[in-house]
Amino acid sequence: MAVVTVGGAVLGAVGGAPGSGGFAASASPFRSPSASPSSSVTASSSTTASSSTTGSSYAFAEGAPSVRAATDTGDAERLDPGTTYRSSLPSEGKVYYRLVLDGTSTVYVAATAVPPADTVVTPTEGVRVSVQDADGRTCSAPDTASIGAGRSPRPLTVWGVRQLPSSRSLCRGAGTYYVVVERVLRTESSPGDWDLELAPVLEPRLREAGSTSAPEAWDSATPSPPGGEAVRRRGGGGFTSATALEQGAWRDDVRPGQTLFYKVPVGWEQQVYATADLSSASGGGAGGGFVPGGVNLALYNPVRGLVDDTSISYNGSQKSGALAALPPVGYDNRYAVSDRVGGMRFAGSYYLVVHLAARVGEEFGDGPLGLTLRVRVKGQAAAGPAYAGRSEPSGIFQVGLLGRGSGAVGDAGSSDAGGDGGGGAGMMLVAVGGIGAGTLLLVVLGVWVVVGRRRAAGV
């Protein structure tokens, strides 16, 4: 922060731009209801106790209210978009939560299921979510995530959606809807509940209807990853504590069984690329020295919908994996058949999630392995679509000052906050701060000069 002192007045300029010494992880876009100091302490204690009981290392949203997992729709508790919740997912059966929706907005609900760290899991088991209307009709295809070849307990995130406008006749009206979450293909795993985090998000309609077709062509060439020395940056333990990264190379350490979360600002019409390099193991192991799916690298969009992921088998030597080339962020991507294209439907924080399978520790020792993430954001951020209202949480589809890419810094704001698509909140803050500070400085200097001249003239 630049500070100027004139006649006892202190003027400050806004700092903390990406790449500066003040660059740090921004606050989570998901909010929890305001609470009194006493209730905050209670919520925090409850969260800690729950995590320690399950042996989970996932960092749940701080102060998130708890909702009961109802076994039927009659007892389903309400979820409000913009608030992150905690719940639990039983071994058997479906659980239900309630939404009250209007007839114009799109609503997403991400569910992150967290198995206890010491539980036994199988590759095919996982979690599924869907959104249904009051007549039991599914609004979109259910989304499923599974443990995978690594056979390692890890957070599994799926998303359900009620999308408008939609070519389907189902789920268009206002009224009551239900979020349905369940465990799937559980065979040999340990019994017991899994912790659950629920994050509903509301996306308002556009002011003017546009195309309902996905782009037919886009640049699918994969650029070379950024080189240079990697800067050390510690990953977060969950979506709400994800560490902010910009374009560049970043260094961290990851232990067997650990999942690390990072977030990268990607503006409208920008493309994001990422690679993960894992170092060789320094210690030997007791097993055969090969772990299928030992490392998992995944990219989630701002509402925590999976865009793409890749698994890397590990044999003790250095390994590298990369996400496939993805299209530029665009509103019309949602109409694509491909999930990878459809996931790149809005600007905001995209999450990079890295998991190192617990079995790597059995084969090569418990010591951490070096992790290098190379992130490239290609293109200039553009103005977003004109939304007719505010998102919940507010600003989730904006990038603001973090909209840097390989081109010049563009205006990455959308009309998510009710504007016309021009100018993010961060840019507005800098503009207002700069104008205010500059004006005050000129006034102070002007008075100083006038007083000095009068004194010199003996007035």
Side-chain angles (χ1 to χ4, degrees), residues 72-309:
D72 59 69
T73 56
D75 293 326
E77 293 195 29
R78 178 171 171 170
L79 305 179
D80 292 321
T83 299
T84 303
Y85 299 88
R86 286 202 59 173
S87 190
S88 61
L89 184 61
S91 301
E92 305 287 348
K94 299 177 179 179
V95 295
Y96 298 86
Y97 307 90
R98 181 167 49 94
L99 297 169
V100 178
L101 305 182
D102 60 30
T104 62
S105 305
T106 294
V107 172
Y108 306 91
V109 182
T112 299
V114 186
D118 56 354
T119 194
V120 175
V121 292
T122 58
T124 56
E125 74 172 303
V127 61
R128 175 184 296 149
V129 69
S130 62
V131 176
Q132 299 177 356
D133 68 6
D135 287 327
R137 297 173 297 190
T138 302
C139 299
S140 60
D143 186 33
T144 303
S146 57
I147 291 293
R151 295 174 177 261
S152 180
R154 63 188 180 96
L156 298 175
T157 302
V158 286
W159 60 325
V161 57
R162 193 287 295 265
Q163 179 173 307
L164 294 178
S166 172
S167 57
R168 305 174 65 181
S169 59
L170 305 181
C171 305
R172 288 184 178 177
T176 299
Y177 290 80
Y178 297 95
V179 180
V180 187
V181 190
E182 61 182 315
R183 298 261 296 274
V184 294
L185 297 177
R186 178 182 166 269
T187 53
E188 305 167 7
S189 63
S190 304
D193 293 356
W194 289 2
D195 282 340
L196 191 65
E197 184 170 78
L198 299 160
V201 172
L202 181 146
E203 182 186 26
R205 66 177 177 84
L206 297 183
R207 288 185 182 174
E208 296 182 4
S211 167
T212 56
S213 300
E216 295 182 2
W218 48 274
D219 182 6
S220 58
T222 302
S224 58
E229 280 300 310
V231 177
R232 183 166 287 277
R233 187 66 58 82
R234 187 68 186 139
F239 283 102
T240 59
S241 58
T243 299
L245 303 179
E246 56 182 344
Q247 178 169 287
W250 309 95
R251 174 78 162 78
D252 204 346
D253 295 313
V254 58
R255 291 185 175 276
Q258 188 176 28
T259 305
L260 298 175
F261 292 76
Y262 311 85
K263 59 184 178 182
V264 181
V266 185
W268 296 100
E269 298 185 19
Q270 289 186 312
Q271 290 175 280
V272 60
Y273 305 86
T275 64
D277 300 332
L278 200 67
S279 72
S280 56
S282 56
F290 181 76
V291 181
V295 189
N296 184 266
L297 170 66
L299 179 73
Y300 294 86
N301 64 25
V303 301
R304 310 185 188 184
L306 178 65
V307 178
D308 190 32
D309 69 340

